[in-house]
Amino acid sequence: MLVHAIPTNAGYEFAAEVRAGLTRAGQKELPSKYLYDDVGSALFEVISHLPEYGLTRADERLLRRYSDDIADRVAGPVAIAELGSGSGRKTRWLLEAFCRRQRTSYYPVEISHSALVMCERELSDIDAISIVGFEREYLDGLLEVAAYRKSGQRLLVLFLGSTIGNFDRPAGVKFLSDVRCILQPGDSLLLGTDIEKSSIELLRAYDDQLGVTAAFNLNLLARVNRELGADFDLSQFAHLARINEEVRSVEMHLESRRHQAVSISAAEVVVEFQEGETIWTESSHKYALGEIYEMARAAGFRCEVQWVDQQWPFAENLLIAE
Ligand code: TRP
């Protein structure tokens, strides 16, 4: 597999974003994309097997069960771009369905180099596939994929696993509009969305009994220690999941158990935490089925089909660019 990597000043950027997030007035925050280093990605893989967290399995079930239907609805020669491919495991069914029909190009776009390498290892045995990975942020990668498009080829963008839910609602629509701008009319976007469920179920899913989700969230502080020379004492922070009824999301925080100061050497800053003060790390918004039609329309798409899992309410939505 060809991997297009870009030279970045990744360490510097990480330090700058940590500094900005922890010194801002009001709610402290850390960007959720930093949850997924090698340790974080491995912990998330474990989360996806937990009985309490049915989201990933619902996504996989739908892709497995409906891959032929999905392929049937996207006609002609297609190039498939996946935003945040991860290991690529759940994409296999879909790629096989397309490759049975004709030779298909698959362009995973991923910020994690090791995920891209795994993705290639996982999928390169599929007949009639060609894989070119892009180690890029979503929209930068998609722009490059679009530049690779051959004439007459349709583009199908995969945005699975409910990552859209990690944007707040207005930012989610803005992101879909940005994707739409890179596409041509008739291109498609397969969008995964987690559907609303009870607060009890959601809190269980985002604060499991084994403490894997807590470890996943706390690993963000451990990563800041490892990579930026900080001295976070992990035993003095607790994982916290709470429901935000107003915006219909689950919020993940790291709560300081006492008044303390933490020094982050590479960010040249000392941060003070009050007892009970939190760092917001991620929100996961949940959707009503009908709402996805409106979001699609607002972003210049038409939602053509929804496939919904009955065991764990989750939808794959096929959006067509208008
Ligand atoms: N983006 C996933 C989701 O919204 C990831 C996730 C699961 C997550 N559990 C978490 C992110 C806990 C932060 C903390 O479902």
Side-chain angles (χ1 to χ4, degrees), residues 123-143:
L123 299 171
S124 57
D125 65 314
I126 299 177
D127 277 341
I129 195 165
S130 71
I131 306 180
V132 179
F134 290 88
E135 197 176 325
R136 297 277 197 282
E137 304 247 346
Y138 298 144
L139 294 172
D140 294 339
L142 187 57
L143 267 172

Side-chain angles (χ1 to χ4, degrees), residues 31-43:
S32 58
K33 65 178 176 189
Y34 293 113
L35 287 164
Y36 299 90
D37 64 347
D38 287 350
V39 176
S41 301
L43 286 168

